Every structure is written in C-alpha cells, then in structure tokens.
Amino acid sequence: MSADYTTDVLIVGSGPAGSTCAALLGTYGIANMVVSRFGWLADTPRAHITNQRTMEVLRDLGLEEEAVSVSSHQDLMANNVFCHSLAGEEFGRLLSWGNHPARKAD
Ligand SMILES: Cc1cc2nc3c(=O)[nH]c(=O)nc-3n(C[C@H](O)[C@H](O)[C@H](O)COP(=O)(O)OP(=O)(O)OC[C@H]3O[C@@H](n4cnc5c(N)ncnc54)[C@H](O)[C@@H]3O)c2cc1C
C-alpha cells in the first residue's frame, strides 16, 4: 500500500535531533513530516544527563517545565554503582555525573 504526502521538510529519524527539528520548524510554521524506522521507543534510558544547551532549546520550545517535572535531581544521581544485581553484592561505587566535590563548581 502506498500513499502520496506533500511536505516542505522531510525529517528522517525521530530521535532527539529529528523530533527537536520538527518541533522547532513547527514554531516557525514550516510544514514538516517525521518518518522513523521503528514504531516504538527505545526500551532503555538514553538521557540520564541533559546538558545546559539542551535545556535552553527545551525552554525555547516551552518544554522546560515539563522536562524538569519528570527529571531526577542531580543529588539523586551521585554514584555510578558496580554490583552483581540491584539487590545483590555491591563491588564499589564512583562519584559521578558531576557530583565529585572537586567538580561541584562545574
Ligand atoms: C545507553 C545510552 C545512554 C545515553 N545517555 C545519554 C545521556 O545521559 N545524555 C545524553 O545527552 N545522551 C545520552 N546518550 C546519547 C544520546 O542518546 C544520543 O546522542 C542521541 O540519541 C542522538 O540523537 P540523534 O537524534 O542524533 O540520533 P538517534 O537517537 O540515534 O535517532 C536517529 C533515529 O533515526 C532512525 N533512523 C535511522 N536511519 C533511518 C532510516 N533510514 N529511516 C528511518 N529512520 C531511521 C533511528 O531508528 C533512530 O530512531 C545515550 C545513548 C545511549 C545508547
């Protein structure tokens, strides 16, 4: 089955780059269409850390408050834990995600 579509901008891929591109073009009233290879989202997390420039883009899109509302505060992400399982033996942990005292000013 095939169908004809007309759009000014065709965006291939609905990852952060593609979906942000679509949203930003939309704010300028530029017609666009996103196509993606898959019909589902990734089943593992890929955005533990969201950097300052990304938050600025989300702010421009009016999405900052929503992003913050579903985020974990940095203090809750202090360590990178090495363990056999979540309830099993812990081998060690590192201060990470910018939480080492030497990096607090970052
Ligand atoms: C485990 C993991 C953890 C991560 N943690 C972080 C983090 O904490 N912070 C952070 O900033 N980044 C993190 N990243 C990196 C971040 O996920 C990537 O930088 C980001 O996803 C890249 O976005 P993108 O839109 O460029 O590409 P992608 O997210 O790869 O999106 C590209 C999309 O295009 C689709 N596509 C490709 N080719 C075609 C085609 N021919 N036709 C149709 N669709 C197509 C793909 O299926 C995909 O959905 C992590 C990545 C992984 C794997």
Side-chain angles (χ1 to χ4, degrees):
M1 194 170 80
S2 67
D4 289 332
Y5 294 98
T6 301
T7 184
D8 291 336
V9 182
L10 177 66
I11 300 163
V12 179
S14 61
S19 47
T20 302
C21 185
L24 289 169
L25 285 170
T27 66
Y28 290 105
I30 298 172
N32 66 85
M33 178 177 291
V34 182
V35 295
S36 185
R37 191 189 306 224
F38 300 110
W40 58 87
L41 299 174
D43 59 0
T44 52
R46 279 125 207 249
H48 300 85
I49 306 282
T50 305
N51 72 30
Q52 290 89 334
R53 299 293 87 78
T54 300
M55 291 308 296
E56 286 170 7
V57 175
L58 293 179
R59 187 178 304 151
D60 284 349
L61 286 167
L63 296 172
E64 181 185 21
E65 264 183 44
E66 191 174 344
V68 170
S69 76
V70 293
S71 70
S72 299
H73 194 268
Q74 192 185 24
D75 291 350
L76 299 174
M77 297 179 60
N79 298 121
N80 211 347
V81 177
F82 298 87
C83 57
H84 186 263
S85 70
L86 287 178
E89 185 180 0
E90 180 177 315
F91 306 120
R93 54 177 66 203
L94 297 173
L95 278 168
S96 50
W97 318 112
N99 273 297
H100 192 286
R103 289 200 55 199
K104 278 288 186 187
D106 290 354

